[in-house]
Amino acid sequence: MNFIKITCLAFIAFVSLTACKKKTTEEPAKAIPSTANVDLLFSNEVDGQPIEFGKMQYTNAAGNMYQIDLLKYYVTNVKLVRADSTFVSLENYDLINAADLSTCVINGLNIPNGTYTKIVFNIGLPQDRNHTGAQDGDLEPAKGMIWDWNTGYVFFKHEGKFKNSTNQTKSLVFHFATDRAFTIVEMPLTAPLVVNGVDKKVLFKFNLNKLYTTPTNVDFNVDYNRQSSSNQDFPWMDNLKLSFYDAFILDRIE
Amino acid sequence: MNKLNKLIIASLAGFCFILFIVGCKKSQSPDEQVAGLTPYVLQIPNGLPPMDIPASNPMTEEGVALGKQLFFDPILSGDNTMSCASCHKQSFSFSDSSVQFSTGIDKLIGTRNAMPLVNLGYQKQFFWDGGAADLESQVIGPIQNPVEMHEDLNNVLAELNAHPTYPALFKRVFGGDKIGTAMIMKAIAQFERTLISGNSKYDQVKAGTASFTPQELRGLSWYTDMKKGDCAHCHVIGSTFSDFEYRNTGLDSIPVDIGRGRITLNPTDDGKFKTPSLRNIALTGPYMHDGRFKTLEECIQHYNIGFKYTANLDPNLDNIKKGRLNPADVQDIIAFLNTLTDTEFITNPKFKK
């Protein structure tokens, strides 16, 4: 009887101690981890010049002098795509604020090893995320990117000033919003991103001037206040959608 | 081994198995902690359909109580003088007294008449133009609007997070360590979904506990008669007294406020507004999105003779004869509309501060 009791108690102790131990497969020494972190960095600039806020020092393709007081945009649902079209999705909703470098990086954690030949991301929010404000993180309404009179996020904002044709300083407001504005940007990687257990950085450049060149140069004397709030803004919106393809370029992979 | 030993071993094995199962239970995530709250059971009156509660904002006793506290708290406004209840008063079915346009904290006045807050849980979109895509999202509109509470959300959050009692209340309801805007939106929406009216004379007649006067009965028949009032076409008879569709009722030849068109950016929606519920309508004057009609009589005369043949005019009005209601018919319809007043709703202590 005693023997049985003791064996049972020992058994209980053993089970309770070992039951919760996580399964750890012993990694052979020096083995390569099967994943790595990939950071995407966005460097915002104007034709190679760094962005300095509040300075009337940029010239667009139409020859208008302008300044930048605010530059923000949403980069969401980043996908790292393999040659066979399978992909890894980051399911991220990041607000890039050019004035705050800490926001200009998107962290891709534990990306499986492999060769990725394309990066795809959205400018703005897909419909299922765009029509409620009760959201957190970079979608927190206090971030100031949501409309409260027509529920939806502004996908891209450039606010500033420009010199008009009679050399007066005028306000510049570009707010790119509504489902119509939702833009998917595809970036083929000429040199593929190879993830092999070592953390990587993918560096993009965003050239603001390129937004105002497709398909024809935007003259700020004509377009200086576009807020996606009437059907008269549609041509400007449709052009901006196309322009985003040109505005992002892959700088390098480290 | 005797039977007893077998029994002991079997029960010990069972015990080990239980240990194994419970020993591995994960520590609670914030969502699971919230499960310790009391679910709020909505009391839906007989005449109303079940209400869809969004899965992302389940109702709890604690959440509703927090939402109610916020609804009555001027902390949400720029100078801490104005609450939601300043413009949405229970005695007027949660609309603003008899003013056409409410005055905000900066003494600026708006351009639209404050809406009653009744049976909101049956609606999908909010404001006269449906611009708020859900009840939660509506909440930040008045807080930020310069002609209303004119407050920056970052200030609201800073004030609430520094408040002596709110942080603990929010944490209890939503978990997390900091109050975020989404929590304010969810709590207020939970409270708003409890503002249910379904005990008017109309409901009592339907339940068989009261009966219409002959005039009220005539009013009901004009209300539904497609050659007379034709009201039921849009303010559907029965539970919610609206289908909540957007329509142009011909208030102006050229709309001053383009209404729904501002939301869809589609010019064929210009001059369209959400068809409002007519519950408690006797209490919520003046009427229409801009409060242009002081009385129900003026309102009904608009449908009878006043409406303009404007672009986008609703086809039901386009095709109906003007002057089809005589003055007695109009009075009958008013008598019927008065049966939609629910005094229990406007005196219910559950909705008081």
Side-chain angles (χ1 to χ4, degrees), chain B residues 36-50:
Chain B
L37 303 173
T38 319
Y40 186 97
V41 183
L42 273 175
Q43 305 290 331
I44 309 278
N46 278 337
L48 288 167

Side-chain angles (χ1 to χ4, degrees), chain A residues 18-112:
Chain A
T18 56
C20 295
K21 206 177 149 192
K22 268 209 194 135
K23 273 186 204 153
T24 44
T25 37
E26 288 297 317
E27 297 286 355
K30 280 195 224 148
I32 300 166
S34 58
T35 67
N37 298 336
V38 175
D39 283 351
L40 309 182
L41 285 86
F42 292 82
S43 164
N44 300 292
E45 56 185 51
V46 180
D47 289 342
Q49 279 176 273
I51 288 184
E52 289 183 272
F53 288 86
K55 292 203 173 145
M56 185 72 76
Q57 63 182 22
Y58 305 103
T59 309
N60 70 8
N64 314 128
M65 280 277 282
Y66 72 98
Q67 77 179 46
I68 303 161
D69 296 333
L70 183 148
L71 182 64
K72 292 182 183 180
Y73 51 92
Y74 279 105
V75 173
T76 68
N77 287 338
V78 172
K79 291 193 181 91
L80 308 178
V81 187
R82 301 180 187 96
D84 63 0
S85 302
T86 59
F87 57 82
V88 177
S89 188
L90 302 191
E91 284 166 25
N92 65 305
Y93 299 92
D94 282 278
L95 177 61
I96 308 270
N97 175 1
D100 178 356
L101 280 185
S102 71
T103 67
C104 299
V105 51
I106 295 172
N107 307 113
L109 300 179
N110 306 321
I111 304 301

Side-chain angles (χ1 to χ4, degrees), chain B residues 7-49:
Chain B
L7 201 73
I8 292 173
I9 290 175
S11 40
L12 283 174
F15 180 61
C16 294
F17 181 70
I18 290 170
L19 265 188
F20 177 81
I21 300 275
V22 296
C24 295
K25 207 176 147 193
K26 267 205 210 138
S27 63
Q28 284 194 328
S29 75
D31 275 353
E32 285 170 286
Q33 283 165 19
V34 172
L37 303 173
T38 319
Y40 186 97
V41 183
L42 273 175
Q43 305 290 331
I44 309 278
N46 278 337
L48 288 167

Side-chain angles (χ1 to χ4, degrees), chain A residues 1 4-5 8-9 11-12 15-16 19-21 131-136 140-143 146-151 178 228-231 234 237, chain B residues 1 4-5 8-9 12 15-16 19-20 23-24 127 129 131-134 136-137 140-141 144 153-154 157 180-182 185-186 262-263 265 267:
Chain A
M1 226 1 223
I4 290 173
K5 269 190 200 158
C8 281
L9 281 173
F11 180 63
I12 291 169
V15 168
S16 12
C20 295
K21 206 177 149 192
H131 299 291
T132 180
Q135 305 191 74
D136 304 320
E140 150 71 72
K143 299 258 175 191
I146 191 168
W147 280 342
D148 55 17
W149 49 276
N150 181 2
T151 312
T178 76
S228 315
S229 54
S230 115
N231 62 352
F234 287 173
M237 290 164 71
Chain B
M1 258 196 284
L4 184 71
N5 279 351
I8 292 173
I9 290 175
L12 283 174
F15 180 61
C16 294
L19 265 188
F20 177 81
C24 295
F127 294 136
D129 54 20
D134 57 28
E136 283 74 8
S137 303
I140 56 172
Q144 299 188 105
L153 290 175
N154 291 300
L157 293 178
T181 309
M185 300 163 95
K186 286 182 177 177
R262 179 162 165 261
I263 305 306
L265 310 187

